[in-house]
Amino acid sequence: MRAEEIRARLSRPWRHGDYADLRDLHVTEPLDLSGLDLCGVDFSGARFEAPLQARGARFAGLSWFSGAQFLQGVDFSGAVLASDARFETAQFAQTAKFHGTEFRGIARFDSAAFHGPAAFRGALSYGNMSLHAAQVSGPAGFANAQLLGGLWCEAARFDGGADFTTAEIHGRVMLRGATSAGRRLAPSAFGLSFGQTFA
């Protein structure tokens, strides 16, 4: 499916319960959704061989990318994901940018693999952000992020190090089995954490 066809399908007015079913789609050309008002979409299992740009996009419904493969860079900076954002088991081959992204539901990255940097500077999550068993090869940056529903990092590996020093976290923080740059990710890594921490 061509990029223009995808944009057309996603630009329909959103209706509750309605979404574009684009599961297992093979996208071979750059897809730019920046600044668009989008209906719900299920991209589970999709393969993006070219960059995906969604800067400032507004996903009114589903924003599901479970098991998606991003073979080039992906940029959701400033995007608003109004429902649950699902990126579990997704593969990010290059930099994944979520600078200032607003997750109004959960932000689920369980078992995702980031082969480059994971950039969440200034991200805002109203629901739980879950990185359970995620693997991040490059640096993970959460400067000034606000995680209002807590953070779940059990068994996560931040091989390039993780910076949570200026992140603000409300709710529970789960750190059991998590490592940063080969060392146990300790509660002291979090500058502002207002919930109970399990390490």
Side-chain angles (χ1 to χ4, degrees):
M1 185 180 294
R2 300 294 304 275
E4 59 210 43
E5 296 176 81
I6 297 172
R7 282 194 295 271
R9 287 195 61 180
L10 298 185
S11 297
R12 299 176 306 183
W14 176 73
R15 293 181 299 178
H16 182 73
D18 188 20
Y19 65 94
D21 187 349
L22 299 177
R23 289 174 292 178
D24 301 316
L25 191 68
H26 192 184
V27 184
T28 60
E29 58 187 26
L31 178 59
D32 191 351
L33 305 174
S34 299
L36 299 180
D37 289 309
L38 307 170
C39 64
V41 61
D42 186 354
F43 271 121
S44 296
R47 180 182 173 92
F48 298 89
E49 293 191 356
L52 170 62
Q53 297 283 331
R55 295 178 62 88
R58 293 167 293 279
F59 293 80
L62 302 183
S63 44
W64 289 4
F65 295 85
S66 306
Q69 298 178 59
F70 302 97
L71 303 186
Q72 300 291 328
V74 57
D75 193 349
F76 283 85
S77 297
V80 175
L81 291 79
S83 188
D84 290 342
R86 297 184 55 179
F87 290 87
E88 68 269 26
T89 70
Q91 300 278 330
F92 299 91
Q94 298 185 23
T95 301
K97 294 181 181 179
F98 292 89
H99 295 306
T101 304
E102 185 175 330
F103 300 94
R104 293 187 177 175
I106 62 169
R108 186 178 181 189
F109 293 87
D110 296 342
S111 298
F114 298 82
H115 298 285
F120 287 87
R121 184 184 69 244
L124 172 62
S125 179
Y126 290 95
N128 178 255
M129 174 172 279
S130 183
L131 292 152
H132 177 87
Q135 297 186 29
V136 186
S137 298
F142 292 83
N144 301 320
Q146 297 184 66
L147 310 180
L148 306 183
L151 175 67
W152 193 281
C153 286
E154 184 173 12
R157 283 178 44 192
F158 300 99
D159 293 340
D163 180 11
F164 289 97
T165 54
T166 58
E168 183 177 319
I169 304 173
H170 300 256
R172 296 177 178 176
V173 179
M174 173 60 76
L175 302 178
R176 289 174 183 160
T179 59
S180 175
R183 298 183 177 183
R184 183 176 66 90
L185 183 59
S188 59
F190 298 85
L192 292 170
S193 180
F194 300 101
Q196 189 173 7
T197 299
F198 300 88

